[in-house]
Amino acid sequence: MLRSVLLALFLSVIPATAFANECPSIMAAIDAALPTATLAEPDMTKVKELRAKGEELHAAGDHAGSIAALNEAKKMLGI
């Protein structure tokens, strides 16, 4: 019984760890694309807001929310 509980706990932690490691790489890709991006000013502002929101959510431990915000920014940048 204890083995099953420990296995379930372990398997629930693995996805969270994977998301946690993905956020910084997405933020780095966005940061690299921003200087050469050719977006209208409102779109550029939105991308920067999504990037900041993603970092904020990552720091708070909400990695799924962070990835969603960061992926939206990537989509707007075309990366």
Side-chain angles (χ1 to χ4, degrees):
M1 177 69 178
L2 180 60
R3 183 180 296 178
S4 298
V5 171
L6 289 175
L7 179 61
L9 179 64
F10 176 75
L11 291 176
S12 68
V13 171
I14 295 297
T17 305
F19 282 137
N21 292 331
E22 188 175 353
C23 301
S25 64
I26 298 173
M27 286 186 267
I30 292 169
D31 292 343
L34 279 173
T36 58
T38 56
L39 296 174
E41 191 59 38
D43 291 337
M44 184 64 82
T45 300
K46 179 72 174 172
V47 166
K48 290 178 181 178
E49 288 172 357
L50 288 167
R51 166 51 174 94
K53 179 180 177 184
E55 186 170 8
E56 204 174 284
L57 290 169
H58 172 74
D62 181 3
H63 302 292
S66 173
I67 288 174
L70 294 171
N71 281 335
E72 188 176 340
K74 277 179 56 177
K75 183 178 177 182
M76 291 180 74
L77 286 168
I79 56 173

